[in-house]
Amino acid sequence: MGYNPQAEELNTAICSVNRVVYDLLSEKGKAAYFPKKGILGQAAEASNCRINATIGIALDDDGSTTCLKVIDDKINLTSDRAFKYAPSFGVPALRKIWQDMIRKKNPTLGDTTISLPVVSCALTHGIYIAAQMFADSSDTLISPDFFWGNYKLAINAATGAGVKHYPTFDGEGYNVVGLAETMSLAGVGKKVVILNFPNNPTGYTPTNEEAYALRDAFVAEAEKGSKIVVIIDDAYFGLVFRDGVYEESLFSLLATAHKNILAIKIDGATKEDYVWGFRTGFVTYGIQGGTAEMYTALEAKTAAVVRATISNAPNPSQQLLLDAYSSSVYETQKKEKYNLLKRRFDMVDTILSSHPEYAECFKPLPYNSGYFMCVEPDVEINAEELRVLLVNKYSVGLIHTEGLIRVAFSSTPTHLLPEVFEAIYQACLELKQ
Ligand SMILES: Cc1ncc(COP(=O)(O)O)c(C=O)c1O
């Protein structure tokens, strides 16, 4: 089946800059196009008409956006900003400010040409979009064995792609060799990889050396001729709590690494700016030699998947964030919340170092960042039984995942953290008897 001529146009724009990016696209990605004609195009052409009867929203007789006062009274935004649709690509000023923020937070990028972020309905949707565009059922996703469980739905179940895991850690450090070996297992070809730092569930981010080693591993595979798309899930970006840990996104290193490596940055306000229910995320592309023309085509395909799935992301959230990012107090307030999480992180360190007896029952996995840390119970203890005992007898709720117990210190008051670890210890002792 041939593609729609508008999809062909985008494919040609991509191929003319870098054929690898086209080859990496899934069948759905190749077929995707953002309709320039149709309702959206016709509405755009009519936008300056004296009478514009194109738009599927309601306007009052004076031309203002129709709204219910009972809702409007509670929202401190003009009715245009609160109630109208946002574009499928996202609010233009927000896309621009987020791109500027990506550069500021990732100085290694310098003035490398990257795409304008396309707004998704938060990170889950961004991950889903990336998977739709770049993974076919014949592909195998490469992922560490400790990963956010929803990848199974948003990537594997949604595309039919398989998955190949490598052990996340090698001793106390990141298993860069494990990733490299897993990439080369199936020989030279297309590779779809997902990485998430700070990691959910472990709370680990690579050290500076590990981050560069990861970049080198990707480059070595690309040099062999493999074409690699790396989905970088930066949900917890910025929450690094130990010295020597890589503070930028891996996107900084991969966006310019090689003409065979396409980096897709999935990030957003959800966790970074403490607005979980706002549902504002971003999808941003970077590849060595990428041009504005090629990124425009990728953005159009991305917006096409947005249009197909949710039509557009919520406007009020985007408008509120735009105001926040333009505010002089944003950085200070954000730092205060970072400090709150850092105090919790430090408290976990203090608890573990002041209770050497805990090592009889569980050991912490490496952690240095994010919202979480994990402990691994002794082999004789079943992690699910431990979780259930903690809920029922100790009234402490924790997550069991892949044989680990995950502690969300982000949501536990600092003064209660000692009780959490003491409860884990006591429950472990009970199960050992
Ligand atoms: C690693 C990771 N990525 C993505 C998400 C999804 O974020 P959002 O709520 O923005 O969809 C989460 C949420 O828990 C997460 O832990």
Side-chain angles (χ1 to χ4, degrees), residues 7-67:
E8 293 285 16
E9 217 177 285
L10 299 175
N11 294 341
T12 307
I14 292 168
C15 278
S16 67
V17 178
N18 185 341
R19 165 89 204 189
V20 171
V21 175
Y22 175 77
D23 292 341
L24 282 169
L25 284 168
S26 65
E27 263 313 301
K28 285 181 188 154
K30 288 181 175 125
Y33 65 94
F34 191 78
K36 280 198 248 157
K37 299 163 186 125
I39 288 180
L40 298 175
Q42 293 175 34
E45 280 175 25
S47 61
N48 290 324
C49 285
R50 188 172 56 85
I51 302 170
N52 180 359
T54 61
I55 321 170
I57 63 168
L59 300 178
D60 285 340
D61 282 340
D62 66 359
S64 59
T65 305
T66 300
C67 60

Side-chain angles (χ1 to χ4, degrees), residues 279-326:
R279 314 313 295 149
T280 308
F282 302 89
V283 179
T284 310
Y285 300 97
I287 186 166
Q288 190 185 83
T291 64
E293 294 69 32
M294 190 194 76
Y295 290 132
T296 302
L298 279 177
E299 288 161 30
K301 284 179 178 285
T302 308
V305 184
V306 174
R307 176 85 176 140
T309 45
I310 57 158
S311 194
N312 46 73
N315 198 4
S317 312
Q318 295 185 57
Q319 300 293 349
L320 289 172
L321 288 166
L322 177 59
D323 287 353
Y325 299 150
S326 318

Side-chain angles (χ1 to χ4, degrees), residues 44 59 111 124 174 190 246 270 299:
L59 300 178
D111 53 11
T124 308
Y174 199 79
K190 176 180 174 184
Y246 193 60
T270 309
E299 288 161 30

Side-chain angles (χ1 to χ4, degrees), residues 182-345:
T182 309
M183 278 196 291
S184 59
L185 267 183
V188 170
K190 176 180 174 184
K191 312 285 169 193
V192 185
V193 181
I194 188 154
L195 294 176
N196 157 232
F197 304 124
N199 175 255
N200 177 4
T202 62
Y204 191 79
T205 297
T207 61
N208 293 321
E209 298 77 49
E210 287 169 343
Y212 280 90
L214 279 168
R215 195 257 331 251
D216 294 346
F218 283 115
V219 170
E221 187 61 37
E223 278 292 303
K224 288 191 232 163
S226 285
K227 299 164 187 174
I228 311 171
V229 56
V230 191
I231 303 171
I232 301 165
D233 176 350
D234 280 342
Y236 301 88
F237 183 84
L239 295 168
V240 163
F241 302 125
R242 273 197 224 289
D243 291 341
V245 175
Y246 193 60
E247 291 193 16
E248 295 189 34
S249 166
L250 264 201
F251 185 76
S252 281
L253 300 180
L254 296 183
T256 52
H258 198 280
K259 64 177 179 17
N260 285 6
I261 302 174
L262 175 67
I264 312 180
K265 184 173 185 358
I266 308 291
D267 59 11
T270 309
K271 317 271 182 180
E272 276 196 51
D273 292 315
Y274 311 102
V275 287
W276 307 275
F278 272 35
R279 314 313 295 149
T280 308
F282 302 89
V283 179
T284 310
Y285 300 97
I287 186 166
Q288 190 185 83
T291 64
E293 294 69 32
M294 190 194 76
Y295 290 132
T296 302
L298 279 177
E299 288 161 30
K301 284 179 178 285
T302 308
V305 184
V306 174
R307 176 85 176 140
T309 45
I310 57 158
S311 194
N312 46 73
N315 198 4
S317 312
Q318 295 185 57
Q319 300 293 349
L320 289 172
L321 288 166
L322 177 59
D323 287 353
Y325 299 150
S326 318
S327 160
S328 59
V329 293
Y330 166 72
E331 293 292 350
T332 318
Q333 292 186 7
K334 190 160 172 169
K335 181 77 183 152
E336 282 166 15
K337 298 306 170 194
Y338 169 92
N339 290 340
L340 170 71
L341 294 196
K342 171 82 163 79
R343 280 197 296 279
R344 304 251 180 87
F345 175 88

Side-chain angles (χ1 to χ4, degrees), residues 144-146 166-179 197 199 201-206 210 363-368 374 376 404:
D145 58 355
F146 297 132
Y166 59 93
T168 306
F169 295 114
D170 180 10
E172 289 301 297
Y174 199 79
N175 187 8
V176 180
V177 172
L179 168 63
F197 304 124
N199 175 255
T202 62
Y204 191 79
T205 297
E210 287 169 343
K363 70 170 179 50
L365 263 68
Y367 65 101
N368 53 29
C374 285
E376 184 175 22
L404 306 178

